[in-house]
Amino acid sequence: MRTRAWLPRRHPPLFAFATLALTLLAGAPAAWARDNPTLTSEDIAWLRRDGFDLDSASVAQYAAMGRSRYLDAQLDDRLGDALPPAISQLIQSYEVVNTPADQLLTTFQTEQQRIKDMPDGDAKTEAKKAQQKHAGELLQESQQAELLRAVYGANQLKEQMVWFWLNHFSVYGAKGRVRLVIGHYASDSIRPYALGKFRDLVMATLQSPAMLEFLDNAQNANGHVNENYARELMELHTLGVNAGYTQQDVQQLALILTGAGLALRQDRPPRVNPRYANYYVRKGLFEFNPMRHDFSDKVLLGHTIKGSGFTEIEQAVDLITHQPACAHFISLKLARYFVADEPPPELVDRMAKTFLRTDGDIAKVLRTLFESKELVAAKGGKLKDPTQFVVSAVRLAYDGRPVVNARPMLNWLNQLGEPLYGRLTPDGWPLDATGWSSSGQMAKRFDIARAIGTGTNRLFVPEGSQGVAPGFPMLTSKLYYAAIEPHLAPATRDALGKAASQQEWNTFLLASPDFNYR
């Protein structure tokens, strides 16, 4: 059982406020807990890291399968991506989900040309506004779809990995045409590779329209070289800062990447000189156009790569992702996300060895992490980032009940300063507590805890409806008594009982350090 009390100098002021405001409800029923074996403190600590915290389904599945089989099923991706029917139906109602990316882009482009050809005046201005508004709505649909998958996805470890990789390969969703394809970036370039080989994940993001647009490689061509993506590919996506590569390596990689861009018109055959026809590559919207490629030989990280078209890119990614620096950089970030802001070096080293031994197998690296003693030993010391806080609060409060409107979650993330696809720079949101522990952040978290705990939100009111929210959730549930209450710190127990109502009790629990740290 967890016995460590909160540490006032460590935890933000509002958590301390919540502590003082809580009391334990007298005579709370515990029948479910008596009839079901309570998981140990270690079980709960492990399970809280494995997913976006607890809900009844994950606790029951863990209890039925045991840790080892549960981990196997997740890493082998045998739990699938199925969602509750109501949530699946809601996601499928989004235009951005049920429209192919190429159709979204060509429609946008056609409308853009139509507006451009219009005479100047009010009608043209209104048409521009309408197109921008529509693009913004598509972006919001993509954000909502991903948040719903995070809350309701059966494989919670995979859902966390999807979020982790979206942040690692961060793309700013509001940039130009990226708004139209960011949802497909998550579903087509990240999700299928989240537990696979890291090299395949890098190649998938490299060929995605969202990344090509965001980091400008769609404009990278022989004679007009753009280094943006090449630099971030090495610095942010694979090797990390100070990994031994030079500016010349960046320049050489940029040359290797010339010609990698987009083919928006799928109905038009490529216009390529017959001399280069065999070098042309098209995969969906991705196009490698040899007419735009530098065919000279390059030297990258001390290795010569012969001028050979698209295969240069594959060779370069192979070379980079097999570097020890890449194995260490990715392992360190994973350990920082799941274990601690400053993870034990011994654990990172073991993960990096697994990465190198298994050809960058992400699932095997995660197995090293989730079977480590360090993961559980660090329990209670990792502050949730805003996404983890919002998703886990909805999971606990509504425990599988399908929401009908995901927009409030979107708004809460905006208020907390971590909008999905909202990072302007390509470095992704911070993974450590320093980015999320200010007093302003804690005040917002308390407001959101209250909105969820009191039911004063629109999660169960359809978008555009004037209906009234149905009421507050009951967090004093079987799940709470079986999996949460036995492991609360004494200070939380003492404080919970001071709540004047169920709604207040809910709010205080969601605002407590025991919930905000995992």
Side-chain angles (χ1 to χ4, degrees), residues 464-482:
S465 167
Q466 298 302 313
V468 178
F472 57 87
M474 189 66 72
L475 268 68
T476 46
S477 63
K478 295 175 181 177
L479 172 64
Y480 168 76
Y481 289 112

Side-chain angles (χ1 to χ4, degrees), residues 388-449:
Q388 291 167 337
F389 168 69
V390 168
V391 172
S392 64
V394 173
R395 280 172 56 78
L396 177 62
Y398 297 107
D399 202 16
R401 180 184 173 190
V403 304
V404 301
N405 179 8
R407 190 180 291 271
M409 289 191 282
L410 210 63
N411 295 338
W412 292 330
L413 284 183
N414 291 339
Q415 292 171 30
L416 292 171
E418 194 185 35
L420 187 58
Y421 312 133
R423 181 73 166 177
L424 273 167
T425 50
D427 54 348
W429 297 110
L431 297 179
D432 56 18
T434 55
W436 311 114
S437 55
S438 69
S439 56
Q441 172 82 192
M442 293 305 107
K444 286 292 183 187
R445 287 197 187 205
F446 193 87
D447 290 343
I448 293 164

Side-chain angles (χ1 to χ4, degrees), residues 8 18 22 36 48 61 153 179 199-200 225 234 240 253 280 300 310 338 343 349 363 420 423 434 454 464 489 511 516:
L22 306 176
N36 296 272
R48 293 188 70 193
Q61 201 161 25
R179 291 170 291 180
R199 182 263 185 200
D200 296 339
V225 177
M234 299 182 83
L253 182 58
Y280 185 83
L300 178 66
F310 181 72
F338 283 106
D349 289 344
L420 187 58
R423 181 73 166 177
T434 55
T454 61
N516 279 267

Side-chain angles (χ1 to χ4, degrees), residues 138-434:
L138 293 176
L139 170 60
Q140 290 191 2
E141 287 183 350
S142 296
Q143 293 168 317
Q144 292 180 53
E146 203 50 48
L147 279 172
L148 287 169
R149 291 188 183 283
V151 173
Y152 296 97
N155 188 344
Q156 279 286 293
L157 179 53
K158 181 178 180 180
E159 294 304 329
Q160 282 207 97
M161 288 308 299
V162 169
W163 188 93
F164 176 85
W165 292 127
L166 282 172
N167 193 52
H168 180 78
F169 297 99
S170 184
V171 167
Y172 180 56
K175 179 180 178 181
R177 296 184 298 192
V178 176
R179 291 170 291 180
L180 313 177
V181 294
I182 191 69
H184 293 272
Y185 178 61
S187 62
D188 301 341
S189 304
I190 298 290
R191 182 170 291 276
Y193 306 94
L195 297 169
K197 292 291 183 72
F198 182 69
R199 182 263 185 200
D200 296 339
L201 179 60
V202 173
M203 284 300 297
T205 55
L206 183 154
Q207 296 173 80
S208 69
M211 186 65 76
L212 289 164
E213 288 276 285
F214 175 50
L215 290 179
D216 306 316
N217 208 76
Q219 290 80 49
N220 186 18
N222 186 23
H224 302 279
V225 177
N226 188 310
E227 298 177 4
N228 286 355
Y229 177 54
R231 186 178 309 283
E232 306 308 356
L233 176 58
M234 299 182 83
E235 181 175 318
L236 298 177
H237 297 173
T238 56
L239 300 179
V241 182
N242 301 323
Y245 59 88
T246 65
Q247 173 61 20
Q248 186 176 1
D249 288 317
V250 173
Q251 293 169 343
Q252 293 288 286
L253 182 58
L255 291 176
I256 290 170
L257 290 165
T258 50
L262 298 174
L264 298 185
R265 295 300 301 263
Q266 299 293 293
D267 56 339
R268 290 181 180 174
R271 299 175 60 183
V272 181
N273 186 318
R275 178 184 169 196
Y276 293 102
N278 290 337
Y279 293 103
Y280 185 83
V281 175
R282 177 180 283 185
K283 297 177 183 177
L285 286 166
F286 173 77
E287 174 189 70
F288 176 79
N289 189 337
M291 302 291 288
R292 294 162 54 83
H293 181 65
D294 182 314
F295 273 90
S296 65
D297 293 347
K298 293 90 177 175
V299 177
L300 178 66
L301 301 175
H303 295 260
T304 299
I305 294 180
K306 293 286 187 182
S308 53
F310 181 72
T311 57
E312 292 175 48
I313 296 176
E314 296 178 311
Q315 291 174 51
V317 170
D318 280 341
L319 176 63
I320 293 170
T321 55
H322 282 86
Q323 297 296 307
C326 179
H328 186 271
F329 179 57
I330 299 303
S331 298
L332 176 62
K333 286 196 71 173
L334 283 168
R336 183 164 288 154
Y337 178 74
F338 283 106
V339 180
D341 290 354
E342 296 300 332
E346 298 81 7
L347 172 62
V348 177
D349 289 344
R350 295 203 306 276
M351 293 168 64
K353 286 179 181 175
T354 301
F355 188 104
L356 290 171
R357 188 181 71 249
T358 63
D359 193 25
D361 190 312
I362 297 164
K364 288 185 170 56
V365 175
L366 288 174
R367 180 178 293 283
T368 299
L369 189 158
F370 275 89
E371 290 180 344
S372 73
K373 62 182 185 302
E374 290 93 339
L375 179 79
V376 174
K379 65 179 181 179
K382 183 72 181 167
L383 178 66
K384 294 177 180 176
D385 64 32
T387 299
Q388 291 167 337
F389 168 69
V390 168
V391 172
S392 64
V394 173
R395 280 172 56 78
L396 177 62
Y398 297 107
D399 202 16
R401 180 184 173 190
V403 304
V404 301
N405 179 8
R407 190 180 291 271
M409 289 191 282
L410 210 63
N411 295 338
W412 292 330
L413 284 183
N414 291 339
Q415 292 171 30
L416 292 171
E418 194 185 35
L420 187 58
Y421 312 133
R423 181 73 166 177
L424 273 167
T425 50
D427 54 348
W429 297 110
L431 297 179
D432 56 18
T434 55

